[in-house]
Amino acid sequence: ETTDSAPAPAAPAAERAKLEKEQDKLVKELEGLRASLSNEAFLAKAPADAVETQRRQAAEKEARLAKVQELLG
């Protein structure tokens, strides 16, 4: 058994399909969050904790999206 350190392909086909699906989902979710966070009426009326929750969710999804895109190569 050899354990040479040849790099693995970016992502096998099944994993790649899963990552692409997750990427699409994250993009759609981020679009919704960004729309809310750029809506002055929402920002003016929503409780501060709700706005902060959406900002945190957007940041988390952006970080995950970056990771998914990195894995996809």
Side-chain angles (χ1 to χ4, degrees):
E1 179 178 328
T2 57
T3 56
D4 71 55
S5 59
E15 181 67 13
R16 185 168 188 82
K18 180 181 169 190
L19 289 170
E20 287 171 346
K21 185 175 180 180
E22 182 177 1
Q23 175 180 258
D24 292 344
K25 179 182 175 208
L26 288 166
V27 167
K28 286 185 174 124
E29 291 172 353
L30 272 168
E31 286 172 356
L33 289 167
R34 288 177 181 148
S36 293
L37 292 170
S38 66
N39 181 331
E40 292 300 323
F42 169 76
L43 295 175
K45 293 178 184 177
D49 62 332
V51 173
E52 184 54 37
T53 296
Q54 289 216 346
R55 285 189 176 129
R56 188 181 69 252
Q57 288 175 342
E60 289 169 358
K61 290 180 189 309
E62 286 169 356
R64 180 62 188 155
L65 180 58
K67 182 66 175 168
V68 167
Q69 290 172 334
E70 177 185 323
L71 290 170
L72 286 170

